């Protein structure tokens, strides 16, 4: 028995049985995996698609609302929702209509349409920051924000929290190992010394934050207001109030990456909890599932960034991509911001997520497992530790890759999809109480299997 309260032998047995079951029930996915294998590296269009617990990729037939139908005809209740890209449901009708209409009028021009002004106004209203720019992905938005902020402040150092993820922005792949910043060994082809300009501290540790800011060379703190990518790590009461003061006192800037915490409401977690960042990044669900992202700056920061551009020699800023803010993306964001990112859409999502969290807690308690459940708006996570972890190291220590895989695959075979990374579930506007019930029943059934040999517990 390890810290998860489940015997590793039981996990391995379940994993083997579920892999066999998956292979037997997904012949069309298997055939497509075989067909793609000669042409696609790793057999999939993006190598992460092999990070699922499945022996080969599940291939999608179609996805609507909270439901995904695979090519073998199974209908799955989808709580992964494209790892947040589809947080407003698959193909939301308002976005699909806006895309269809725009598709008749041009896809990309490298020029703005009326939507640019409208989307800018909507973003300013939602997030409370006046000046905006766009990107195709949250990764790029973060990358560009770092460039702007380093240019605007003349400072080189980035400060992040241990265990963070902000997309494949190279600078953030630095971990705290025995109190020292260490570049992540798994990075491929990375030739720069990232630890030279990235400082890392634990979340919820104000003295460490202050010490890291003290040299006065930190351009910005890039943070999710709640860590969501190493399991979930909530800020302790008062943490952000004091952290913001420290950041300001040391002349640094705060960038809130709301890409996942948009689950908190129409202006993200920061708006819902009265935080005052200098910059905000939002991606994934912002275009209702279309690739687009945006970043907003305070008036003061925008003025500094614009001044940096004006002062620079003529030529490329190193910021931007050709299809950024294309006509289709702007139409998708306009529809999402006006019709999906509203309090009325979020309220039932939050209520259902609460039911889900309560049901998970009840199932965990029934089986006497030392696990906890955390919720941030429409986002729910269970972790293999009795209390919510207070930092990235504790969250990482609670993880168990084999158990996660066994659980995820067993749920999938029972008609429920959750994210392949840690144990995240997201409720969308189309999620029904029946979907939640289906997840809870499957979860309970899988826990019964996993916890079955509790007699062997010491
Ligand atoms: C907080 C956060 N920021 C940025 C990203 C990057 O998003 P994308 O992969 O769409 O670029 C992610 C992805 O998971 C994320 O969780």
């Amino acid at each position: 028995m390890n810290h998860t309260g489940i015997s590793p032998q039981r996990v391995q047995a379940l994993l083997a049985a579920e892999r066999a079951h998956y292979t037997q029930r997904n012949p069309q996915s298997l055939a497509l995996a075989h067909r793609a294998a000669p042409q696609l590296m790793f057999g999939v269009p993006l190598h992460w698609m092999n990070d699922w617990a499945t022996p080969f990729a599940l291939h999608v037939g179609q996805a609507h609302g909270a439901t995904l139908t695979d090519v073998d005809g199974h209908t799955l209740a989808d709580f992964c929702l494209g790892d947040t890209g589809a947080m407003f449901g698959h193909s939301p009708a308002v976005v699909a209509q806006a895309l269809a209409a725009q598709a008749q009028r041009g896809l990309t021009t490298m020029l703005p349409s009326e939507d640019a002004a409208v989307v800018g106004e909507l973003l300013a209203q939602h997030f409370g920051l006046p000046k905006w720019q766009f990107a195709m992905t949250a990764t790029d938005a973060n990358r560009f924000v770092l460039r702007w902020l380093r240019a605007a402040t003349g400072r080189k150092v980035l400060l992040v929290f241990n265990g963070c993820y902000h997309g494949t922005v190279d600078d953030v792949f630095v971990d705290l190992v025995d109190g020292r910043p260490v570049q992540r060994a798994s990075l491929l082809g990375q030739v720069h010394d990232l630890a030279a300009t990235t400082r890392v501290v634990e979340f919820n540790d104000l003295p460490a934050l202050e010490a890291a800011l003290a040299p006065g060379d930190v351009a910005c703190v890039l943070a999710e207001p709640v860590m969501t990518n190493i399991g979930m790590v909530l800020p302790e009461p008062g943490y952000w109030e004091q952290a913001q003061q420290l950041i300001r006192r040391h002349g640094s800037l705060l960038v809130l990456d709301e890409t996942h915490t948009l689950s908190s409401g129409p202006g993200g977690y920061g708006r819902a909890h009265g935080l005052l960042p200098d910059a905000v990044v939002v991606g994934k669900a912002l275009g209702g599932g279309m690739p687009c992202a945006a970043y907003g700056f305070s008036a003061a920061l925008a003025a500094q960034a614009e001044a940096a551009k004006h002062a620079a020699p003529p030529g490329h800023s190193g910021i931007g991509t050709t299809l950024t803010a294309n006509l289709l993306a702007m139409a998708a964001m306009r529809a999402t911001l006006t019709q999906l990112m509203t309090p009325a859409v979020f309220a039932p999502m939050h209520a259902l997520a609460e039911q889900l969290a309560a049901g998970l807690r009840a199932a965990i308690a029934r089986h006497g497992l030392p696990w906890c459940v955390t919720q941030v708006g429409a986002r729910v996570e269970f972790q293999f530790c009795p209390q919510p972890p207070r930092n990235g190291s504790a969250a990482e220590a609670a993880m168990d890759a084999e158990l996660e895989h066994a659980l995820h695959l067993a749920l999938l075979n029972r008609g429920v999809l959750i994210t392949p990374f840690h144990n995240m579930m997201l409720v969308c506007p189309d999620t029904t109480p029946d979907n939640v019930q289906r997840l809870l029943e499957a979860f309970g059934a899988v826990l019964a299997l996993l916890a079955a040999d509790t007699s062997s517990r010491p």
Side-chain angles (χ1 to χ4, degrees), residues 145-160 171 193-199 215-221 251-252:
V145 164
L146 291 187
R147 293 293 288 266
W148 282 121
L149 268 57
R150 282 173 164 154
T153 61
R155 293 178 172 196
K156 284 187 182 165
V157 177
L158 164 68
L159 202 158
V160 293
D171 303 68
D193 177 10
L194 302 173
T197 47
T198 297
R199 213 161 279 158
D217 55 359
V218 175
C220 67
V221 175
S252 285

Side-chain angles (χ1 to χ4, degrees), residues 55-75:
F56 49 88
L58 185 78
H59 283 65
V60 177
Q62 49 180 294
H64 290 292
T67 301
L68 186 152
T69 307
D70 66 33
V71 288
D72 286 284
H74 308 116
T75 299

